[in-house]
Amino acid sequence: IPLSRTIRCICIETSTQSVNLRSVEKLEIIPASQSCPRVEIIATMKKNGEKRCLNPESKAIKNLLKAVRKERSKRSS
Amino acid sequence: IPLSRTIRCICIETSTQSVNLRSVEKLEIIPASQSCPRVEIIATMKKNGEKRCLNPESKAIKNLLKAVRKERSKRSS
């Protein structure tokens, strides 16, 4: 019998709002684990340090990770 | 005339060693900015909290982000 576990997700709700990479100071990706059964993606905004939980399923995140890749190739050329 | 800027990158050198998503507690992506001209990707390891700088160009990172996506679709099904 599995013991009941305390669920400690950081995000209570996620935003599907799109986020511009230029306004992001840091992007944290926390893989699913025993303490939280889902991937969590947290963007810290440059402007006010606000932390915003993003929906990993959203287009916003797909675009953001694409922007990271693009920026990378731009910088390395 | 631009003022000279202090470069404050977090990573001095990056590892191209592959990293298993299961052993990662947190993945931080810091976009290029005025303080550091390159994208920085920092993995915090579960085992000892060690922080490891990963090379954004490396296969390891590509695989890691792929694993995040896979995990996500697994969880949502």
Side-chain angles (χ1 to χ4, degrees):
Chain A
I1 301 165
L3 292 172
S4 78
R5 292 197 211 99
T6 311
I7 301 286
R8 291 168 191 262
C9 295
I10 295 165
C11 298
I12 298 165
E13 50 182 14
T14 57
S15 164
T16 51
Q17 221 185 309
S18 103
V19 167
N20 193 312
L21 187 64
R22 291 197 165 277
S23 50
V24 169
E25 190 179 296
K26 189 170 77 170
L27 197 66
E28 285 167 285
I29 301 177
I30 301 163
S33 68
Q34 291 208 335
S35 46
C36 179
R38 55 176 191 265
V39 184
E40 300 197 283
I41 300 185
I42 302 153
T44 305
M45 309 310 287
K46 270 183 194 161
K47 208 178 170 184
N48 48 10
E50 184 205 338
K51 285 180 186 247
R52 212 181 274 185
C53 286
L54 305 178
N55 184 343
E57 319 263 345
S58 71
K59 259 226 138 131
I61 270 300
K62 229 180 118 184
N63 289 338
L64 210 62
L65 293 179
K66 206 191 278 175
V68 168
R69 282 201 303 273
K70 268 195 191 158
E71 187 180 78
R72 186 197 313 167
S73 51
K74 202 173 62 196
R75 299 276 163 179
S76 65
S77 63
Chain B
I1 302 163
L3 293 172
S4 78
R5 292 198 210 100
T6 312
I7 301 284
R8 289 169 192 260
C9 294
I10 296 164
C11 298
I12 297 165
E13 52 182 13
T14 57
S15 162
T16 49
Q17 219 185 312
S18 102
V19 166
N20 192 312
L21 187 62
R22 293 196 166 276
S23 50
V24 169
E25 190 179 298
K26 189 169 76 173
L27 198 66
E28 285 168 285
I29 301 177
I30 300 163
S33 68
Q34 290 207 337
S35 45
C36 179
R38 56 177 189 266
V39 185
E40 298 196 285
I41 300 185
I42 302 153
T44 305
M45 309 310 286
K46 272 183 194 163
K47 207 178 168 183
N48 48 10
E50 185 204 338
K51 286 181 186 246
R52 212 181 273 184
C53 285
L54 305 178
N55 184 342
E57 320 264 344
S58 71
K59 260 222 138 136
I61 270 299
K62 229 180 118 183
N63 289 339
L64 210 60
L65 292 180
K66 205 192 280 176
V68 168
R69 281 200 304 273
K70 268 194 194 160
E71 188 180 80
R72 187 196 312 168
S73 49
K74 203 172 60 193
R75 298 277 164 179
S76 66
S77 63

